Amino acid sequence: MRKKFFVIGDSISWYYGQYLSKMLAPFADYDRKGGSKKMTELADMTDGVNGGHSGMVLIYVKGVLNETFFKNSDYLVLNCGIHDTKIMPETGKIQIDLETYRKNLESIISIAPMPIIWVTTTPFNLPCGDFAGRQQNIDLYNKAALEIMAKHKIPVIDLDNFTRTLGTDIYLNGTDPCHFNNAAQALQAAFICGQLLSFIR
């Protein structure tokens, strides 16, 4: 029987997802937040393909727990972290502090109706506006997430370290600080596809 992967992740997951969905097609079904079904009535702007910060992911998961398109999935492929570490210009503080991030991940894990596969947050390149100086925080949030996943024996796809092996000429238009060009997106998708297929074989 074909398995179904449901993806919740940041915009980077949407970029590589365009390749991943095609790579998985011969072997498994693929869907994502904002994909086959949009939940326009959800609060806190949680509609759309971007998962946003961990608080938004938690709201979304709570909102779709009983939806067939979600609960009938075999695996939840999950990532959040980039938006959590966003520096809010009005306060100068991180959008979701580390302790709240931990609590949000624990809450998501506790209510998810299917096994989770965690994907680490990818590295930044150049400072850019409210994303400036973020790599140190991303490393801290990745570390915290990995500790939680290890505690719950949740498998991890380490997209962060894989992406670091791809060199420096991988960012979109050579200037985007966090999104990747087509070649890098395809390589990320191939890496993730191989990892996902290992769970169903």
Side-chain angles (χ1 to χ4, degrees):
M1 176 182 269
R2 285 173 68 90
K3 300 296 185 181
K4 177 182 174 182
F5 295 102
F6 192 91
V7 175
I8 302 176
D10 52 37
S11 55
I12 290 159
S13 73
W14 181 82
Y15 279 107
Y16 66 66
Q18 299 173 94
Y19 296 95
L20 179 59
S21 60
K22 295 174 183 177
M23 293 175 183
L24 282 173
F27 314 102
D29 295 325
Y30 170 97
D31 198 2
R32 68 167 296 121
K33 179 181 180 292
S36 65
K37 173 75 168 141
K38 292 188 176 182
M39 302 295 291
T40 54
E41 71 277 14
L42 292 179
D44 200 25
M45 299 174 61
T46 55
D47 188 29
V49 298
N50 197 322
H53 59 68
S54 59
M56 293 173 67
V57 172
L58 179 56
I59 289 171
Y60 178 79
V61 172
K62 286 180 177 179
V64 299
L65 279 176
N66 295 315
E67 296 290 336
T68 300
F69 74 91
F70 181 73
K71 70 179 182 180
N72 286 355
S73 300
D74 296 289
Y75 297 94
L76 173 58
V77 183
L78 178 64
N79 161 261
C80 50
I82 279 183
H83 291 273
D84 293 83
T85 62
K86 180 179 179 179
I87 305 299
M88 305 304 289
E90 60 272 18
T91 64
K93 295 181 179 180
I94 289 178
Q95 181 161 230
I96 303 292
D97 65 73
L98 187 57
E99 185 57 31
T100 303
Y101 179 68
R102 288 178 179 272
K103 290 178 180 177
N104 287 341
L105 294 190
E106 291 281 4
S107 295
I108 294 165
I109 291 167
S110 72
I111 65 173
M114 73 287 284
I116 292 172
I117 301 168
W118 180 256
V119 181
T120 55
T121 298
T122 46
F124 264 68
N125 181 21
L126 303 170
C128 179
D130 57 10
F131 288 95
R134 292 270 296 285
Q135 187 58 56
Q136 183 177 1
N137 287 328
I138 286 174
D139 291 342
L140 287 173
Y141 281 54
N142 266 337
K143 183 174 182 290
L146 289 174
E147 290 170 354
I148 291 170
M149 302 308 146
K151 181 177 75 171
H152 292 281
K153 296 181 171 56
I154 291 172
V156 172
I157 297 176
D158 194 353
L159 188 62
D160 175 37
N161 277 316
F162 173 77
T163 301
R164 292 170 189 263
T165 70
L166 300 181
T168 57
D169 188 23
I170 58 174
Y171 289 88
L172 193 61
N173 301 321
T175 58
D176 191 305
C178 61
H179 299 106
F180 302 95
N181 60 32
N182 290 337
Q185 293 166 27
L187 290 170
Q188 290 173 325
F191 173 69
I192 294 171
C193 183
Q195 297 280 298
L196 293 179
L197 291 179
S198 72
F199 295 113
I200 62 175
R201 289 184 171 177

